[in-house]
Amino acid sequence: MSNATIIQGRNEIYIGSDTATSVEIDGVLYRQDTNAVKLYQVDNMIIFCSGTLTYCYYVMEQFQQLKVRGTDQLRQLIIRTYAGQNIEIIVCEHNGDQTVIHQLSAYNDFVPVIHSNIPADGLNLLTAGIKTKESYEIASSDLLEGQPLKETYKKVFDSIAFEGIGGTLSVYRVNKSGVNCCLVHEIIEPDNLIKISIDVLIDYYQRHCIVGERIYGKVFMGVNLALEDEDGVLKFQGSKGEIFDRNGTLVMKLGLVDENPDKFGLWSFNDITRVRVDDTSGFAIDRATPDLNNYPDGWEKVMWADPSDGTLYAHDLVAENIKIVNDIGKTILDAENNYLDIGDFKDIVMDNKLTTLEKMQIITELYKIEAGYHRMLEQADEYKRSQRDDVFDMEAQFFAKSPSTIDLYSTDPLTSAYFDLLNYMSQYIDIISQAPLNIDVNSPKTEQTSEIADRAELILKFKTYYDEEKNLRNKIEDAQFYSGLNMGQYYNNVVIGEYGFIALRNDGKYRSVLNATNGLALQKWENNRWTNKVYASIGSSTYEDGTLISEDLVAKRLRIETKNGNVLLDAGALNFDFSVLDSIIIDDVIVSTEKITLANNYKSIAKQYLTLKEQINHYVTTIYNDRDSSYYELDDARNYLQSAGNELTSSYNELTSYMNPVFADMNRTTHIGADLGSTRVEFHLRWENFYKAYESARVKLADFLEKSSLQLGRNYNNTVIDAENGIMVTRGNMMNRTTLNATEGIKIEKNIGSAGSPNWEKRFYVDLDGNLFADELSARRLRILDGKLGDAIIFDWEDGITINGKNKEQIRLNANEGIAIDVDGEERFWVHNDGTLRAKRLIITNDDVDPTQLPDGSYVSKLAVNELRTINGVSPQDYIHIKDNFFRFYTGTGTEYDLEKLSFHLENKGGDTYAVVKMGIGNKLKNEIGFIRKDDEAFKLDYNATTGYYRRLWLTNRVGAGEFGAILQSVGAGIKLVTDSHTIRLEVDASNYIEIAPTGIKIVGTRVDFD
């Protein structure tokens, strides 16, 4: 069990834990090791899982294999597998809005206890595992005092370290951007730590186990049995047997080898191959495969025997000296002796006849030959030309080659033998077509018995084909051998065999050797034998394994470390030999020759100091400030570098002040005690302090460079830049990502799968031709440029759509203007947002027909509208208004109060309408208005006088006696007929009329009555 200390804010969670593993023996707790894993990063979650270590490892391994991973799935997994083991789990995550902690423990049946809704300025402190009270009190005290978070974690775990807590402290930060490790610290453990040892185990086993070099007896009884030597371990637990190799790896199972369902047998396996012999599967050989969709257990059968009938199956079978016999022991195929039984042709042709039954046997064989022929051509086409013969361009930056034009063999002999055979057999059987082969088995030719003119020729035709097929197969194998790698074969002075990999230079003077026996070696031919010049030793009696030996070595950047990890030589570090310094001050006296040595060393480190100090000042000022933004790790690195630079300057100044009296007189002997008032220890310490400060500053500078620069392939807040994918930025919840590279252009994708099994779908992308594709596009302003990068089309949230033509034309569409067309800044046509249509000139004509232009510049056009007014401006004027069924003349400004002076319209409805001409504006009583009508009664002229008196002249449609064809009426006034000295005559016929002439009045009638 370990400890987990968690500091939760609303937007961030910090969780830290150790790596110690402990074991309790007879009530005493021992430290086992510090290699345990307690914190797991799964998707965007950090999970603390501690308790019975083997069960914890099993739970987390199974959980990470799930396609859907969450707290509910983790709880269900624990409930299914829990059998009283000790386990505690804490899940930390950010759900996009805030941080959430789920705590799962056995005391409440692993029902999640949720911690969330932390105030914006609040903190929630949680501890789990063991020593929770102590860790809580220390962390709470430091947080209240405002101590730095990293120092708080170090103090907590340094203080609570014991057998159950220790090793390496890892602190992770969880926020909306994802998960990252922010602190790794080696915990300072107490000196009296009790660690597990072989003596403790021997003592325990002697008291609880039977241990003996030889144990004799007829019956052994017990639950578990373990037999162990230096080569491995054999264990039995009931019916389960297991064998482990000398490295502790499980390599074999026997007895009960699997459960659900139970299987008994023997299994032997490694990382690549598994051999099974059990009562369920029979015999099977499997190979490991990454295809978990088709093979969930990770193993694919390659050879197996069906336990029901003993049939042997195999994939990718390659066999030497294979021999096949039929059920009576007759050999069908013998690869060793190049024998293939082509059928009973000798027996068939013995009587120089082909019967119907014999022809059917031959037809079956011909169809087999056809299948083999086409299969042979496919294989021949694949290996006909070898990539070994391709022409490589060795000067190109990337691999480039031209395909080979050399044919390794020809298929013509096989093709010729195949069609010769078919042509020959067509005299005995009816072959409808040869490609594809189609034989009419019901043809009279096929059904009748045929005479064979020459038995030898028939056999030869078949034998010729089989020989050519065999020859072509051999050539294909030769081509495969020629194109592939074969053990012991030379390829351009390169050979691979049981002795490993050897590459020999053409002149035979140098070669490279790589094998598992001698390691890696570059050798030279000297004195009639190969001599190692550069090699890494393996199994040498002189050098340890992995030692690099070179006769001559030139390196631009060389770093040598001791076994304990201490730096022995670093070409980029401060080069100073403290053994020389100690030999100088061993007698507390510095003579003149020793001063020269010290002065040279001082000048060397002074030069390196000035260079390093200049670099530090440059990076903490210019480089740090030359950026738009920063982040906390870079800020920390800059502060650490600045502090290291100040410490370096301080140690350098102290060393300089200390050494000035020594260098004041180079010819005079200086006594460390008498002249400097110092000691050898202090003298050595001044130089050592500067050396440590220098090395510390170099480390801090390297850290700052890493934090302030881009490292290809490294993840920066879910941003990765590498040579393969370019720039890739992934959202913290793994649901969106953006990619920029030279292969695809720019793309924004959405994960329609899950964080654990992402399925990326393009939503926005720009291809390499500059084409923009988007599922949805929202923009405040969008410009579409023409070929000269001018604004061809502009989409703007305020100005709407603007389209610019090549000759200063412009079309605008927006909610402010409506629709407008301008040419060179002059308004030509527009539809206002009130619905009115306005145009400088409106031409309406048939499609594809130019309008007729009149001499005055107007056009003859067709016009169809709902309403038309000829008004011009807002000043009073005479205009025409056309609408529905009227045509009216007005005087006014276009309002409802304008004066109607003349109107042409239709009265009544439907098909009974008739034309009316209305004249006059009338008075308030609607008098003084005249009408001209033509209805079904008469042609009428009506007028209402000022006082409402009615006057009319009607020309009626009436005919006959007693009818009036014309009516003249005047109410309220008389009727006056006037002419200028001419005659007025009222006539019925020639015998009846009244005539008023300048000469008098004349009345003529067949009868005149005066009443």
Side-chain angles (χ1 to χ4, degrees):
M1 203 71 173
S2 292
N3 177 277
T5 300
I6 307 153
I7 302 175
Q8 180 186 15
R10 183 173 183 82
N11 299 317
E12 286 186 330
I13 300 175
Y14 290 87
I15 179 171
S17 186
D18 62 301
T19 59
T21 303
S22 58
V23 59
E24 185 175 345
I25 299 177
D26 292 337
V28 179
L29 191 65
Y30 295 89
R31 169 67 62 80
Q32 181 174 340
D33 58 41
T34 56
N35 301 321
V37 178
K38 307 297 178 65
L39 293 177
Y40 299 83
Q41 180 176 351
V42 181
D43 301 331
N44 286 328
M45 301 178 288
I46 284 291
I47 301 176
F48 169 75
C49 182
S50 182
T52 304
L53 207 54
T54 54
Y55 181 63
C56 291
Y57 286 168
Y58 170 79
V59 168
M60 293 310 301
E61 179 182 359
Q62 295 297 315
F63 177 66
Q64 293 180 77
Q65 293 178 2
L66 297 177
K67 293 184 177 180
V68 179
R69 293 181 287 267
T71 305
D72 294 337
Q73 290 75 20
L74 181 57
R75 178 175 181 265
Q76 294 301 322
L77 173 61
I78 296 173
I79 291 175
R80 289 198 305 269
T81 59
Y82 183 69
Q85 300 92 334
N86 187 13
I87 186 171
E88 183 170 2
I89 288 181
I90 294 178
V91 181
C92 301
E93 62 178 339
H94 194 289
N95 64 8
D97 297 324
Q98 60 174 327
T99 60
V100 180
I101 295 177
H102 304 267
Q103 186 171 1
L104 286 73
S105 300
Y107 78 91
N108 66 340
D109 196 23
F110 299 103
V111 175
V113 178
I114 302 175
H115 303 268
S116 61
N117 297 321
I118 307 301
D121 56 348
L123 288 177
N124 181 31
L125 179 61
L126 298 173
T127 55
I130 55 179
K131 288 207 171 185
T132 55
K133 180 179 180 182
E134 294 87 341
S135 60
Y136 182 90
E137 291 175 350
I138 297 171
S140 177
S141 175
D142 275 24
L143 290 175
L144 291 175
E145 294 175 1
Q147 296 295 329
L149 187 140
K150 294 182 180 180
E151 298 303 321
T152 298
Y153 269 102
K154 292 178 183 179
K155 183 177 179 182
V156 167
F157 281 85
D158 288 346
S159 301
I160 65 175
F162 77 117
E163 285 77 10
I165 299 175
T168 302
L169 164 65
S170 297
V171 180
Y172 287 85
R173 179 173 64 177
V174 182
N175 56 23
K176 193 173 183 179
S177 300
V179 177
N180 68 297
C181 181
C182 60
L183 174 63
V184 176
H185 168 65
E186 293 300 324
I187 299 173
I188 301 174
E189 300 177 340
D191 297 333
N192 58 349
L193 202 67
I194 305 176
K195 297 183 179 180
I196 193 72
S197 65
I198 190 64
D199 294 333
V200 174
L201 294 176
I202 291 175
D203 177 68
Y204 177 80
Y205 291 143
Q206 287 177 344
R207 289 185 288 108
H208 296 278
C209 301
I210 299 175
V211 180
E213 184 176 350
R214 293 180 177 87
I215 300 176
Y216 299 95
K218 293 184 178 180
V219 179
F220 287 92
M221 299 184 64
V223 178
N224 300 329
L225 173 65
L227 304 177
E228 179 178 3
D229 63 7
E230 64 276 7
D231 295 325
V233 180
L234 170 63
K235 291 176 57 178
F236 276 98
Q237 293 177 303
S239 60
K240 298 179 183 178
E242 296 177 334
I243 298 178
F244 299 82
D245 62 12
R246 58 172 55 88
N247 297 318
T249 303
L250 179 63
V251 294
M252 184 177 290
K253 290 183 177 182
L254 60 158
L256 181 60
V257 294
D258 199 7
E259 297 179 271
N260 296 321
D262 291 347
K263 297 179 181 179
F264 290 88
L266 175 67
W267 287 9
S268 179
F269 43 83
N270 55 27
D271 293 338
I272 301 174
T273 307
R274 180 175 69 178
V275 179
R276 294 180 292 147
V277 181
D278 59 54
D279 57 349
T280 301
S281 304
F283 167 75
I285 299 177
D286 307 328
R287 64 183 172 196
T289 176
D291 184 5
L292 299 181
N293 293 326
N294 295 321
Y295 308 99
D297 63 348
W299 293 98
E300 175 188 4
K301 280 185 178 180
V302 294
M303 187 174 185
W304 68 99
D306 190 335
S308 62
D309 58 12
T311 303
L312 181 66
Y313 299 89
H315 287 312
D316 307 328
L317 177 64
V318 178
E320 293 184 358
N321 303 334
I322 188 171
K323 186 175 182 180
I324 301 175
V325 298
N326 60 16
D327 55 353
I328 61 174
K330 183 180 179 181
T331 300
I332 304 299
L333 172 66
D334 189 344
E336 178 67 15
N337 298 312
N338 296 323
Y339 174 76
L340 174 64
D341 186 0
I342 64 174
D344 299 328
F345 290 125
K346 294 180 181 179
D347 297 335
I348 290 175
V349 302
M350 185 65 67
D351 56 357
N352 285 349
K353 293 181 180 180
L354 287 177
T355 65
T356 303
L357 182 61
E358 291 171 340
K359 286 183 179 182
M360 295 306 296
Q361 289 179 278
I362 292 178
I363 290 173
T364 302
E365 186 66 22
L366 288 177
Y367 276 120
K368 292 180 180 178
I369 288 174
E370 183 209 22
Y373 167 72
H374 290 294
R375 184 166 58 251
M376 187 63 64
L377 289 183
E378 291 176 0
Q379 293 178 350
D381 185 64
E382 182 176 357
Y383 299 105
K384 191 174 185 179
R385 295 180 180 178
S386 173
Q387 293 188 12
R388 178 176 174 179
D389 296 326
D390 292 349
V391 180
F392 280 84
D393 184 0
M394 304 306 295
E395 303 300 326
Q397 179 182 3
F398 300 99
F399 287 126
K401 65 178 181 178
S402 301
S404 169
T405 58
I406 302 173
D407 292 339
L408 300 180
Y409 48 78
S410 173
T411 59
D412 292 342
L414 178 67
T415 300
S416 178
Y418 173 72
F419 286 105
D420 285 346
L421 174 62
L422 294 183
N423 291 333
Y424 177 81
M425 293 305 301
S426 62
Q427 63 182 309
Y428 303 112
I429 56 178
D430 190 0
I431 299 179
I432 299 174
S433 65
Q434 295 182 347
L437 181 60
N438 185 7
I439 301 174
D440 187 358
V441 296
N442 299 316
S443 170
K445 180 190 291 188
T446 305
E447 293 181 348
Q448 69 183 6
T449 300
S450 303
E451 296 287 338
I452 301 175
D454 189 346
R455 291 179 299 177
E457 184 179 5
L458 187 147
I459 296 174
L460 181 62
K461 291 296 183 180
F462 279 94
K463 183 178 184 302
T464 300
Y465 173 79
Y466 289 128
D467 289 344
E468 292 298 338
E469 184 182 42
K470 177 182 176 182
N471 291 336
L472 183 58
R473 181 179 294 106
N474 291 338
K475 291 178 180 179
I476 292 175
E477 292 176 355
D478 292 340
Q480 292 173 332
F481 184 84
Y482 177 79
S483 302
L485 290 177
N486 296 277
M487 295 302 175
Q489 177 71 20
Y490 289 99
Y491 299 96
N492 297 329
N493 291 331
V494 177
V495 64
I496 302 174
E498 61 183 3
Y499 29 75
F501 175 93
I502 299 178
L504 176 66
R505 209 167 81 170
N506 287 334
D507 57 7
K509 293 183 179 181
Y510 298 93
R511 75 178 185 182
S512 300
V513 179
L514 175 63
N515 57 48
T517 304
N518 300 317
L520 171 66
L522 303 180
Q523 300 174 330
K524 182 178 181 181
W525 182 257
E526 293 179 341
N527 301 321
N528 292 324
R529 68 185 183 89
W530 289 106
T531 304
N532 288 333
K533 292 299 182 180
V534 179
Y535 63 99
S537 68
I538 296 179
S540 172
S541 59
T542 307
Y543 303 101
E544 293 185 5
D545 290 349
T547 303
L548 179 66
I549 301 99
S550 174
E551 290 189 359
D552 300 298
L553 182 63
V554 178
K556 291 184 178 181
R557 178 73 173 90
L558 182 62
R559 178 183 176 93
I560 302 176
E561 297 183 355
T562 65
K563 292 182 178 179
N564 298 324
N566 299 322
V567 178
L568 182 63
L569 173 64
D570 190 342
L574 183 65
N575 297 318
F576 188 78
D577 190 350
F578 279 96
S579 62
V580 175
L581 178 67
D582 292 339
S583 65
I584 291 175
I585 64 174
I586 192 65
D587 55 357
D588 284 339
V589 176
I590 306 174
V591 298
S592 58
T593 56
E594 294 172 336
K595 287 185 177 183
I596 294 174
T597 301
L598 289 175
N600 290 334
N601 283 321
Y602 177 80
K603 290 178 182 179
S604 176
I605 66 173
K607 181 178 179 181
Q608 290 181 272
Y609 160 75
L610 293 175
T611 301
L612 181 59
K613 186 62 179 176
E614 182 180 354
Q615 292 176 339
I616 293 175
N617 291 335
H618 177 65
Y619 282 104
V620 298
T621 55
T622 305
I623 300 299
Y624 177 79
N625 294 327
D626 187 17
R627 63 186 67 246
D628 296 331
S629 63
S630 180
Y631 64 104
Y632 77 95
E633 288 186 351
L634 179 60
D635 296 338
D636 290 347
R638 185 251 188 187
N639 295 334
Y640 292 148
L641 178 59
Q642 192 172 34
S643 176
N646 295 335
E647 184 178 350
L648 175 64
T649 301
S650 176
S651 62
Y652 175 77
N653 292 336
E654 291 177 359
L655 177 61
T656 301
S657 299
Y658 187 81
M659 293 304 297
N660 281 338
V662 178
F663 298 144
D665 187 349
M666 298 295 291
N667 296 318
R668 176 177 171 272
T669 298
T670 300
H671 296 270
I672 295 177
D675 297 331
L676 299 181
S678 183
T679 63
R680 286 178 297 171
V681 175
E682 184 179 1
F683 191 97
H684 184 280
L685 190 61
R686 294 299 177 95
W687 287 83
E688 185 179 5
N689 288 343
F690 174 75
Y691 176 81
K692 291 181 177 178
Y694 184 89
E695 290 301 311
S696 175
R698 284 183 62 246
V699 172
K700 296 300 187 295
L701 178 59
D703 183 60
F704 179 84
L705 290 175
E706 180 184 352
K707 295 298 190 301
S708 62
S709 61
L710 176 65
Q711 308 292 321
L712 293 182
R714 183 172 177 179
N715 190 317
Y716 296 91
N717 290 331
N718 292 331
T719 300
V720 178
I721 301 177
D722 58 28
E724 180 179 357
N725 299 311
I727 303 175
M728 182 178 293
V729 183
T730 306
R731 192 174 178 182
N733 60 2
M734 289 292 292
M735 298 309 294
N736 303 91
R737 74 179 182 187
T738 302
T739 304
L740 169 63
N741 57 49
T743 303
E744 299 177 279
I746 304 172
K747 62 179 180 179
I748 299 177
E749 300 170 291
K750 181 178 182 179
N751 182 5
I752 60 175
S754 63
S757 300
N759 183 7
W760 297 104
E761 182 181 88
K762 288 182 180 179
R763 293 303 177 90
F764 175 92
Y765 57 101
V766 182
D767 63 17
L768 299 182
D769 296 327
N771 299 315
L772 175 65
F773 304 88
D775 285 357
E776 297 180 6
L777 185 62
S778 300
R780 294 178 63 85
R781 184 175 176 84
L782 180 64
R783 299 170 59 201
I784 300 178
L785 307 180
D786 59 18
K788 299 180 181 180
L789 298 182
D791 289 330
I793 303 176
I794 302 173
F795 296 86
D796 187 271
W797 71 276
E798 184 175 12
D799 297 332
I801 303 174
T802 303
I803 305 174
N804 295 309
K806 295 181 179 180
N807 300 309
K808 299 183 179 181
E809 303 93 340
Q810 187 179 80
I811 301 175
R812 297 184 303 279
L813 170 63
N814 57 63
N816 300 318
E817 292 182 282
I819 304 174
I821 301 176
D822 297 350
V823 178
D824 198 13
E826 179 183 353
E827 295 179 338
R828 293 294 181 86
F829 175 89
W830 65 100
V831 179
H832 200 264
N833 53 15
D834 61 0
T836 58
L837 173 67
R838 311 181 187 190
K840 285 293 184 68
R841 186 172 61 186
L842 186 63
I843 301 173
I844 303 174
T845 183
N846 292 331
D847 293 342
D848 302 326
V849 178
D850 294 332
T852 303
Q853 185 174 8
L854 300 179
D856 62 353
S858 59
Y859 292 86
V860 177
S861 302
K862 288 184 177 180
L863 180 64
V865 294
N866 292 329
E867 185 175 3
L868 176 65
R869 298 189 186 207
T870 61
I871 194 166
N872 184 18
V874 296
S875 59
Q877 58 190 282
D878 295 326
Y879 65 90
I880 299 174
H881 183 196
I882 302 174
K883 183 180 179 182
D884 296 335
N885 60 353
F886 65 77
F887 181 94
R888 295 173 181 171
F889 292 78
Y890 285 92
T891 297
T893 59
T895 66
E896 59 181 327
Y897 304 106
D898 291 354
L899 301 178
E900 178 186 318
K901 294 186 175 181
L902 176 63
S903 173
F904 298 87
H905 60 274
L906 298 175
E907 289 187 351
N908 286 355
K909 296 181 180 180
D912 295 332
T913 58
Y914 51 87
V916 178
V917 178
K918 176 184 176 185
M919 293 173 286
I921 60 176
N923 56 20
K924 293 181 180 181
L925 299 176
K926 297 183 179 180
N927 295 324
E928 300 181 12
I929 299 176
F931 295 91
I932 300 176
R933 294 181 176 86
K934 172 60 183 75
D935 55 19
D936 55 354
E937 290 183 321
F939 175 74
K940 303 176 181 178
L941 280 78
D942 297 309
Y943 178 71
N944 290 324
T946 301
T947 56
Y949 292 108
Y950 176 60
R951 283 83 188 264
R952 65 172 175 166
L953 172 62
W954 287 13
L955 303 178
T956 70
N957 297 325
R958 299 173 184 176
V959 178
E963 298 292 338
F964 299 99
I967 300 174
L968 177 62
Q969 180 182 1
S970 175
V971 179
I975 299 174
K976 182 179 180 180
L977 300 177
V978 179
T979 182
D980 53 345
S981 302
H982 291 282
T983 301
I984 298 174
R985 183 172 176 163
L986 298 178
E987 179 178 347
V988 176
D989 54 28
S991 301
N992 297 279
Y993 60 86
I994 298 174
E995 183 178 271
I996 302 175
T999 57
I1001 299 173
K1002 183 180 180 180
I1003 300 175
V1004 178
T1006 55
R1007 194 182 75 175
V1008 177
D1009 295 329
F1010 293 96
D1011 189 359

